[in-house]
Amino acid sequence: GDSVTQTEGLVTLTEGLPVMLNCTYQSTYSPFLFWYVQHLNEAPKLLLKSFTDNKRPEHQGFHATLHKSSSSFHLQKSSAQLSDSALYYCALSDRDYGSSGNKLIFGIGTLLSVKP
Amino acid sequence: ETAVFQTPNYHVTQVGNEVSFNCKQTLGHDTMYWYKQDSKKLLKIMFSYNNKQLIVNETVPRRFSPQSSDKAHLNLRIKSVEPEDSAVYLCASSPTGSGNTLYFGEGSRLIVV
């Protein structure tokens, strides 16, 4: 079945350093990939979504590139800010709505802690 | 700006009791979901409904039952809670179709003692 792997549970960075959170996936078909972010005591919300073409989605300085050859959708940012501290989930949804109903399959989440 | 509303935010109850969580969305979406976020922050789909019809029913214990009165409301009832039901239950909605963004509520935290 479909699955998402996020390898790091906790990433601690100093403000200003680059961010890279890893995400790889397994899927029978070519799925949609997402990054959701959840700040403390808040709802998860969409950060980025993969495009069907080769465009690279960007939001709030974050970007991610879908590499079908390596089944990866790593999240990157050139310079971490204190406000980036949050829980980041990589997720996928199947393109076949009939069988999956647009359900999201989430990775375990990576907690990003940015320190001064 | 919140558009998926959940009540109650927090509930403490004893093993064996019944609890219900309510969810309403004002986004005009046709699809609604319940997810469980456990103590390790693992997020797993439980159910999804499209226009009041159940379309996804993952392997959850039979004591969990979703209820939908219309496409804007999706409630979750737990008939006889167990300690392992302690978690945050997140409601979400999206437009119908693959690849659409899910909009989550802030969650209902259940503590079973």
Side-chain angles (χ1 to χ4, degrees):
Chain A
D2 294 346
S3 65
V4 175
T5 301
Q6 294 180 248
T7 51
E8 308 93 353
L10 171 65
V11 171
T12 303
L13 286 175
T14 302
E15 188 180 15
L17 289 182
V19 179
M20 178 146 167
L21 305 185
N22 291 322
C23 173
T24 57
Y25 64 91
Q26 282 189 308
S27 180
T28 306
Y29 303 104
S30 183
F32 291 100
L33 271 295
F34 304 81
W35 279 99
Y36 278 77
V37 59
Q38 186 178 27
H39 287 91
L40 190 62
N41 296 323
E42 293 184 10
K45 57 185 178 184
L46 179 71
L47 181 61
L48 292 172
K49 182 170 93 169
S50 64
F51 287 102
T52 52
D53 55 23
N54 290 324
K55 285 185 194 171
R56 187 179 80 168
E58 295 194 29
H59 185 62
Q60 297 178 343
F62 286 94
H63 59 89
T65 303
L66 180 61
H67 289 288
K68 294 182 182 178
S69 58
S70 57
S71 298
S72 66
F73 191 58
H74 305 320
L75 183 68
Q76 294 179 273
K77 186 177 183 181
S78 59
S79 176
Q81 297 177 292
L82 296 177
S83 58
D84 293 332
S85 294
L87 183 58
Y88 291 81
Y89 289 101
C90 184
L92 69 78
S93 71
D94 200 309
R95 287 181 185 268
D96 181 6
Y97 180 80
S99 64
S100 72
N102 197 40
K103 69 179 182 184
L104 280 179
I105 295 170
F106 286 90
I108 61 171
T110 300
L111 184 61
L112 177 64
S113 176
V114 182
K115 304 207 178 293
Chain B
E1 190 176 335
T2 305
V4 180
F5 303 93
Q6 293 186 235
T7 57
N9 294 326
Y10 185 86
H11 188 77
V12 181
T13 192
Q14 293 183 325
V15 170
N17 285 349
E18 178 175 312
V19 300
S20 287
F21 298 116
N22 302 312
C23 180
K24 171 187 169 181
Q25 54 95 3
T26 58
L27 295 165
H29 293 159
D30 293 327
T31 306
M32 294 185 71
Y33 312 78
W34 278 109
Y35 279 80
K36 180 181 179 180
Q37 187 176 40
D38 67 16
S39 58
K40 295 182 182 177
K41 303 295 186 183
L42 291 173
L43 259 178
K44 288 196 72 174
I45 180 78
M46 299 177 72
F47 305 100
S48 76
Y49 271 70
N50 179 261
N51 277 318
K52 301 195 298 177
Q53 299 271 355
L54 179 67
I55 55 171
V56 171
N57 184 353
E58 294 294 294
T59 308
V60 299
R62 293 170 66 89
R63 60 182 179 275
F64 289 86
S65 58
Q67 298 163 325
S68 179
S69 56
D70 56 58
K71 69 176 190 178
H73 295 83
L74 182 63
N75 300 331
L76 182 67
R77 187 178 77 155
I78 314 174
K79 226 156 126 176
S80 176
V81 296
E82 299 285 338
E84 60 264 31
D85 299 337
S86 295
V88 176
Y89 292 89
L90 288 161
C91 177
S93 73
S94 77
T96 300
S98 302
N100 286 312
T101 301
L102 267 62
Y103 294 82
F104 285 89
E106 294 188 346
S108 296
R109 181 179 294 276
L110 174 66
I111 296 179
V112 181
V113 297

